[in-house]
Amino acid sequence: MNTLIKKIAVFLLLATVLFSVLAVSSFAAEIPDPVSISSAEILEEDGAANLVIVLKNNTSQALSGIYLFLDPVEADEILFDTSSVLYDNNQEEVIVAGVSALAAYDSATFIFPIVSYTDPHAKVNCEIQFTYDSEVYGGLSYNENNVVDLVLEDILTEKTVGMGQAIMNFLKQTGAYLVVQNWKVLVMLLISFGLIYLAIVKKFEPLLLLPIAFGMLLTNLPGANMFHEELFAEGHVHWDLFTSVGAGLIDYLYLGVKLGIYPCLIFLGIGAMTDFGPLIANPKSLLLGAAAQIGIFVTFLGASALGFTSGEAGAIGIIGGADGPTAIFVTSALAAHLLGPIAVAAYSYMALVPFIQPPIMRLLTTKKERRIVMKELRPVSKKEKILFPIAVTVLVALIVPSATPLVGCLMLGNLMKESGVVDRISKTAQNELMNIVTIFLGISVGATATADAFLSWSTIKIMVMGVIAFAIGTAGGVLLAKFMNLFLKNKINPLIGSAGVSAVPMAARVSQAEGQKEDPSNFLLMHAMGPNVAGVIGSAIAAGVLIALFG
């Protein structure tokens, strides 16, 4: 008996659920949803502003008596032209516009002239009235639940009157639906996951690759609208759109990249952490740092041959300097639309220095050359270390003024460190400031890697040209060291030439590791730091040259 009762109870429960589903479906089916607001925006022409709303007929038959009612939530926030005024049942004024008929699947545009408004985000109650199957739907006196708040100066999502369409609208706004509509978004999410894995598990430049990857994740989340590319279209900051589009946090953070603030602050921190002593003690290493920049200009020529513009080719070539902030600085000035792929390439190859450089170093040197032991560097006085950043700043400003922002900040940071009188500021530049700017820089740069901008043949070309630039830069430093040895009494170990790329101090450590593989007693680290820090200066000067030529 108990078993029979349980079966009956289960049957009644299932029947109730089924009946409820059918009832809701029937109820939803009875409520037509033939009309939708497809767009609403503020348009200005000859000093006059209009609220333009487009209604669409979603049915296969013509509709009649279509009216659109507007009623400002706060009367003093916005004032419409009162030439078209209708009084509702409560004798309150509302604005109305209408058309007598709307053909199947056709659209109608309603224009409401705005006399003035005090709040750019003033809200307006909006309602549609139409005749469908001989029945009138909507209207102020028919269904008060259809009132929709419109936020001025924002493009509106589709609003409809039917429950069925409302459910469909909700489903269409889900991330899963949007991913199906644009497969590229899914690919970008997978790429961001891959970069996060490399940053956390493989520790590939995690300080910047992790925020870059997460910025890429944020900007490609379906429907999130975290970054608005139109604010920075055509390489310019469109200040007038910041209020009308509704700029978000990442849009404002990106201004630090676009205006060249973050790279300069990063260089300030790098300068405060850098010891130029090895370069001062061995000025010849400056030539090695300069030779390593040859990859930038060779790649520039190659990118130009592939059809990139001069500005784009310059931004791609700078990857060869193995300096992320410099690459971002140049790209934001010459080819902002390529910032995402170039930044990812630059920091990825910086992380891959221990894998890219050794084969090239061993290929271009003999075992005898790799065993060369260099003399110990002379001590450098404090006076020399203080005068060096001042002299370099003045010299660079006189020769390549466009490189002054980067080199000047680099040398200012170093002067604060070497002077010894502003330890608190120096430590702030090395730690707190550097860390904060790194977070902002990474997130905002990653946010530029949208699906449309990143997933293209140009990105593949950039990745290939980037690694070529890096390889040529490494080879350039090694080959110049070999050439200099033809004339020098005290030979240079060619391995330190590869440190001319400005991946500080990783490239110098690679030189040290390769040297000790041949002779464990050979210590090349301090010798390699000379061309390494020279590469930082060299890449900044190369950036200034490119900006001066094509900016």
Side-chain angles (χ1 to χ4, degrees):
M1 181 64 70
N2 291 335
T3 303
L4 179 61
I5 294 175
K6 289 181 180 179
K7 289 182 179 181
I8 295 174
V10 171
F11 174 80
L12 292 176
L13 178 61
L14 293 175
T16 302
V17 172
L18 180 62
F19 177 81
S20 300
V21 172
L22 293 175
V24 171
S25 301
S26 176
F27 178 70
E30 291 175 358
I31 302 178
D33 42 49
V35 181
S36 65
I37 297 177
S38 61
S39 69
E41 58 183 337
I42 297 292
L43 297 180
E44 294 189 7
E45 183 176 359
D46 298 329
N50 297 305
L51 173 58
V52 180
I53 299 177
V54 179
L55 294 185
K56 183 180 180 181
N57 180 0
N58 299 313
T59 70
S60 59
Q61 68 179 62
L63 302 177
S64 60
I66 297 93
Y67 293 96
L68 185 61
F69 301 91
L70 296 185
D71 184 17
V73 174
E74 298 291 340
D76 58 343
E77 286 185 349
I78 184 167
L79 179 63
F80 289 95
D81 185 354
T82 56
S83 58
S84 298
V85 176
L86 178 78
Y87 289 89
D88 68 358
N89 292 341
N90 297 322
Q91 295 299 304
E92 294 180 351
E93 290 186 357
V94 294
I95 311 300
V96 63
V99 292
S100 58
L102 188 58
Y105 302 113
D106 201 1
S107 298
T109 300
F110 297 84
I111 301 177
F112 299 91
I114 299 174
V115 177
S116 65
Y117 59 87
T118 58
D119 184 356
H121 296 283
K123 293 186 178 181
V124 177
N125 290 330
C126 173
E127 185 125 2
I128 307 166
Q129 178 178 304
F130 56 92
T131 302
Y132 180 73
D133 283 343
S134 302
E135 293 188 26
V136 178
Y137 293 91
L140 292 174
S141 58
Y142 288 90
N143 190 346
E144 296 180 357
N145 294 326
N146 286 333
V147 176
V148 178
D149 285 339
L150 300 180
V151 181
L152 293 179
E153 298 185 85
D154 283 345
I155 302 299
L156 299 181
T157 55
E158 186 176 82
K159 304 293 182 181
T160 59
V161 296
M163 180 179 293
Q165 188 62 35
I167 295 174
M168 288 302 301
N169 285 345
F170 171 76
L171 295 176
K172 290 180 179 180
Q173 293 176 26
T174 61
Y177 177 86
L178 296 175
V179 167
V180 173
Q181 298 300 308
N182 186 2
W183 61 268
K184 291 183 177 180
V185 171
L186 180 59
V187 175
M188 290 304 301
L189 293 178
L190 294 176
I191 292 175
S192 68
F193 296 154
L195 294 177
I196 291 174
Y197 171 82
L198 292 177
I200 296 176
V201 179
K202 299 299 182 180
K203 295 182 173 56
F204 283 4
E205 288 293 325
L207 290 179
L208 259 169
L209 195 58
L210 183 60
I212 286 176
F214 204 81
M216 185 184 296
L217 172 66
L218 290 176
T219 198
N220 287 287
L221 288 174
N225 295 322
M226 299 289 288
F227 179 71
H228 299 85
E229 293 178 289
E230 60 270 26
L231 298 177
F232 309 97
E234 300 177 356
H236 304 290
V237 180
H238 298 277
W239 299 101
D240 55 315
L241 298 179
F242 268 71
T243 55
S244 60
V245 171
L249 176 62
I250 293 182
D251 295 314
Y252 287 105
L253 290 180
Y254 182 68
L255 288 173
V257 175
K258 187 60 186 172
L259 301 177
I261 297 173
Y262 295 153
C264 292
L265 292 179
I266 291 286
F267 261 59
L268 181 70
I270 292 174
M273 293 186 289
T274 301
D275 180 10
F276 286 105
L279 175 59
I280 300 172
N282 185 13
K284 294 188 294 292
S285 59
L286 184 64
L287 298 175
L288 299 178
Q293 310 311 312
I294 189 174
I296 294 175
F297 297 100
V298 171
T299 306
F300 164 78
L301 297 175
S304 298
L306 289 177
F308 289 98
T309 65
S310 297
E312 293 172 340
I316 295 170
I318 205 67
I319 297 174
D323 192 327
T326 303
I328 292 171
F329 185 79
V330 173
T331 306
S332 61
L334 301 182
H337 58 288
L338 298 179
L339 185 58
I342 286 179
V344 170
Y347 282 104
S348 297
Y349 294 144
M350 285 174 62
L352 293 173
V353 164
F355 303 96
I356 296 175
Q357 285 194 321
I360 300 172
M361 297 162 68
R362 290 192 290 268
L363 178 66
L364 298 177
T365 58
T366 65
K367 191 169 185 177
K368 181 180 178 181
E369 288 174 327
R370 294 194 292 271
R371 284 178 171 270
I372 293 176
V373 178
M374 300 178 65
K375 289 186 176 181
E376 185 177 351
L377 296 173
R378 69 171 180 84
V380 178
S381 67
K382 182 175 181 179
K383 182 182 294 186
E384 288 177 296
K385 291 186 175 182
I386 291 176
L387 292 177
F388 179 79
I390 300 173
V392 170
T393 302
V394 174
L395 186 62
V396 170
L398 292 176
I399 299 175
V400 190
S402 53
T404 305
L406 287 178
V407 175
C409 287
L410 178 70
M411 293 304 157
L412 172 59
N414 186 251
L415 182 60
M416 292 190 301
K417 170 182 177 290
E418 300 297 350
S419 66
V421 296
V422 286
D423 287 342
R424 188 173 65 183
I425 296 178
S426 177
K427 290 178 180 178
T428 298
Q430 295 177 40
N431 298 288
E432 290 83 0
L433 179 62
M434 188 81 160
N435 293 335
I436 292 172
V437 174
T438 297
I439 295 172
F440 291 168
L441 177 67
I443 293 176
S444 51
V445 167
T448 65
T450 59
D452 292 333
F454 198 90
L455 296 179
S456 65
W457 285 111
S458 295
T459 299
I460 297 176
K461 294 177 183 177
I462 289 170
M463 294 296 180
V464 174
M465 295 301 294
V467 74
I468 291 174
F470 199 85
I472 293 175
T474 299
V478 173
L479 293 175
L480 181 63
K482 291 167 66 73
F483 178 76
M484 292 172 65
N485 280 340
L486 298 176
F487 310 97
L488 294 175
K489 181 179 179 181
N490 297 320
K491 303 299 183 181
I492 297 174
N493 191 316
L495 292 177
I496 72 170
S498 65
V501 296
S502 56
V504 180
M506 192 180 300
R509 290 174 180 168
V510 171
S511 299
Q512 163 78 2
E514 289 300 308
Q516 288 200 322
K517 286 180 181 179
E518 300 296 337
D519 182 0
S521 64
N522 194 2
F523 293 93
L524 297 174
L525 183 60
M526 292 309 297
H527 297 284
M529 283 302 298
N532 205 187
V533 296
V536 178
I537 301 174
S539 64
I541 294 176
V545 171
L546 292 172
I547 292 174
L549 291 174
F550 310 114

